[in-house]
Every structure is written in structure tokens, then in C-alpha cells.
Amino acid sequence: MKSLLNETDDRKEATAAVHRCYLWTEKAMKVREGDNEDDEDSLLRAFLSMPLIWDTGASRGLTPFRSDFIDYQEVDIVVHDISKANRVIGVGTVMYKFIDKTGQEVYLPGVAYHMPKATIRLFSPQSYLQTHGGYATVEGDKVTHHLPPSCNQKAAGLGGSEVEFPIEMSGGNIPLISGVSCT
């Protein structure tokens, strides 16, 4: 087993990303439990600032926020990861707002699980692409999600929008974007 003193740069970046998520979760849990005098403001800041990971390994999206959903069905599903069991309490359609390469707002729906103890939002590109079409390209510092044209874009003879997910090199080498909440 490798000593932590000899961590690689990639491992250090991943550890830093996990640490940031842990700190965010600690803050959000304190707000939810009423341990913060600024409850509503702190929770709103946490909701607005929590990043979204473009996760090719996710079969569905994931969010800790009920507010991300535009339709919702309560469920009670236990899911297991490597170290513990987690409870999914809902499933439905989420809606996230992005800014495309031309500066226009683009709204993307996706099916997601509601797991209040999640430490991050996940977006499943394969679920979106299989349902809505389009494609994605990966470059050294970003992933570009090429969307199919909307009705308005088709009518104007335009192609679809392109949304870029910067790859967070200092945070675990993952495609990550913030400011996606709509509500």
C-alpha cells in the first residue's frame, strides 16, 4: 500500500475535491439541523453554489435537493456504495440551467434520484443523450455537450447549443460546473 506521504498529484487533487465536498456537506447538515443562526441564507447559498458533476458512470442523476425537481415521486430505495447504504427518498425529473457557448441560457432535464445525504449533484450524460439525442466531446480541459437543435433553432436554420463542462484539474480531474439551479 502506498504511503500517504508519497501521494501522486492526481490523488492529492481527488483528496482535495472530496474534502471540499465533505466541508460543504457538514455545512449543509448543520443548516438542516438548525445549528446555524443563518439557516435560510446558508441553505440557499449552499443550494445555489453546489456544483454538478457530468458523470459518465451515472445511470441516473442524483441530487440532495428536492427543489431541483420539476416532477417528483416519493420512493424508499436503499442503495449501496462501497462503504455504506444510503436511502433514496424520491425520483423524478430535474431541470438544470446552463449557459451555452453563445451566452444563451439552456435548460436540460434529466431523471434523477433524490438522496438528501448526497454530497454533490450528478448529471448522467448517457441518460440525457439516449433520451434527447446529441453527443459529447472530451478535450484536455473540458467536455462539450452538443445538444440537438431546439424547435426555434431548427426554424432559424441553426444547429443545437453547446454547453461546456470545464474539467476541474485541481479538484480531482472531473467535469464540474456550478450555478445550475433553476428554482
Side-chain angles (χ1 to χ4, degrees):
M1 178 175 225
K2 190 185 248 186
S3 165
L4 291 178
L5 295 175
N6 295 323
E7 283 185 303
T8 65
D9 287 343
D10 287 343
R11 175 77 178 166
K12 287 178 186 176
E13 290 169 3
T15 301
V18 168
H19 182 69
R20 285 195 303 276
C21 289
Y22 174 79
L23 292 176
W24 181 93
T25 303
E26 285 280 301
K27 180 179 181 180
M29 295 308 282
K30 285 181 181 178
V31 169
R32 288 179 185 162
E33 294 166 3
D35 292 344
N36 190 330
E37 63 214 30
D38 248 357
D39 290 357
E40 288 182 33
D41 288 342
S42 293
L43 191 53
L44 178 61
R45 279 193 302 277
F47 171 73
L48 295 173
S49 67
M50 181 184 245
L52 176 86
I53 294 175
W54 194 84
D55 185 358
T56 59
S59 58
R60 296 287 181 255
L62 178 71
T63 181
F65 300 111
R66 171 65 177 88
S67 305
D68 282 338
F69 292 88
I70 58 173
D71 69 54
Y72 189 81
Q73 176 74 41
E74 288 185 6
V75 297
D76 186 12
I77 302 170
V78 176
V79 293
H80 297 272
D81 65 21
I82 294 172
S83 63
K84 63 186 176 305
N86 296 292
R87 189 163 301 280
V88 171
I89 64 168
V91 64
T93 305
V94 292
M95 183 69 71
Y96 294 123
K97 176 179 69 175
F98 301 93
I99 305 299
D100 74 6
K101 288 173 71 172
T102 67
Q104 300 296 309
E105 290 182 349
V106 176
Y107 295 87
L108 299 185
V111 176
Y113 295 119
H114 179 204
M115 187 168 58
K117 293 191 178 197
T119 59
I120 200 77
R121 287 176 171 122
L122 297 179
F123 179 78
S124 171
Q126 58 271 43
S127 176
Y128 180 88
L129 295 170
Q130 288 169 359
T131 303
H132 302 284
Y135 64 98
T137 56
V138 180
E139 298 173 48
D141 62 348
K142 67 184 172 204
V143 172
T144 304
H145 195 107
H146 304 268
L147 306 173
S150 68
C151 292
N152 290 340
Q153 288 170 323
K154 282 182 186 176
L158 301 173
S161 297
E162 295 179 354
V163 177
E164 290 183 347
F165 288 74
I167 295 176
E168 182 68 40
M169 300 296 193
S170 64
N173 203 29
I174 53 177
L176 183 89
I177 195 165
S178 295
V180 298
S181 58
C182 291
T183 58

